[in-house]
Amino acid sequence: PSPIVVFEGVGVTNSAPPDTEGAVGPNDYVQIVNGGGVRIFDKNGVPRGPAFKLSTLFAPLGGVAASNDNGDGLVLYDRMANRWILSQFAFASQTAPPFHQPIAVSKTGDPTGAYWAYDFITPGNDFPDYGKIGAWPDGYYFTDRQFTAPLLTYNGFGCFAFDRAKMLVGDSTATFVYFSVSPDVSNSSSGMIPSDYNGLMPPPAGA
């Protein structure tokens, strides 16, 4: 069948490939491309405002999170809480830590409204490439492909569980649990995808 609706998304912002990401909520579609370009549309494809840089959501934090739009942007709609999650990595140097994974959580179900902002620093010397994020009842799950600086040697997958409960209420003490998966499990061309609750029936307790 033909597409229900076709419209022009946000353009590439001086970065290739664009690594286009998007998420759909009850009333909106939110898109992001490499370079931090974000735009919010209604479900008819009508923009709900101008495109903006994702880094502007992290302005209250300062530092590289507020000034750099390095790429690998992520957009997630958390249907359990009716919130929007936007993230990208940020760094001063790709070959030297610290490496940041800032995450913005909308304060309401309106993606054009205000956001809580968090700036997480990933562990050690592993550059967090091409991250993916999912919503689960007990956390925001995140995975990346790790490349150890300064040579950026492939070093398996990083697995994170961010404190969703605290992040939803703007608690600045939110932290994460992390473990590393050996590069022997799979090579760098593949990826580990985190669990994401997206259906009508919630997962079993403790799953």
Side-chain angles (χ1 to χ4, degrees), residues 11 19 35 52 69 77 85 106 127 145 157 194:
D19 286 343
F52 61 92
D69 289 280
Y77 175 67
I85 316 301
S106 68
F127 178 75
R145 303 176 196 184
F157 304 111

Side-chain angles (χ1 to χ4, degrees), residues 76-78 81-85 105-109 116 140 168:
L76 175 72
Y77 175 67
D78 179 352
N82 186 28
R83 302 290 188 88
W84 293 86
I85 316 301
V105 179
S106 68
K107 295 183 180 181
T108 71
W116 305 113
Y140 290 124
L168 286 171

Side-chain angles (χ1 to χ4, degrees), residues 55-104:
S55 58
T56 61
L57 298 183
F58 304 108
L61 302 177
V64 296
S67 59
N68 291 21
D69 289 280
N70 297 113
D72 283 4
L74 300 168
V75 183
L76 175 72
Y77 175 67
D78 179 352
R79 65 176 296 148
M80 294 170 285
N82 186 28
R83 302 290 188 88
W84 293 86
I85 316 301
L86 285 78
S87 182
Q88 64 182 356
F89 55 41
F91 50 85
S93 168
Q94 190 174 1
T95 58
F99 303 120
H100 300 249
Q101 190 68 44
I103 300 176

Side-chain angles (χ1 to χ4, degrees), residues 10 12 38 42 47 52 60-61 74 82 93 96-97 168-169 171 182-183 185 187 195 204:
V10 64
V12 174
V38 181
D42 68 20
F52 61 92
L61 302 177
L74 300 168
N82 186 28
S93 168
L168 286 171
V169 297
D171 188 336
S182 168
V185 171
N187 62 36
S195 296

Side-chain angles (χ1 to χ4, degrees), residues 3 7 12 20-22 25 57 70 72 74 100 102 113 144 151 159 188 199 204:
F7 61 93
V12 174
T20 310
E21 289 263 346
L57 298 183
N70 297 113
D72 283 4
L74 300 168
H100 300 249
D144 61 33
L151 300 179
C159 301
S188 62

Side-chain angles (χ1 to χ4, degrees), residues 122-168:
T122 57
N125 295 337
D126 287 321
F127 178 75
D129 187 49
Y130 209 53
K132 300 300 173 197
I133 195 166
W136 205 250
D138 59 0
Y140 290 124
Y141 289 4
F142 176 86
T143 58
D144 61 33
R145 303 176 196 184
Q146 300 180 140
F147 291 86
T148 304
L151 300 179
L152 298 183
T153 304
Y154 173 61
N155 190 28
F157 304 111
C159 301
F160 300 74
F162 293 97
D163 192 333
R164 175 176 173 268
K166 287 187 175 182
M167 295 170 71
L168 286 171

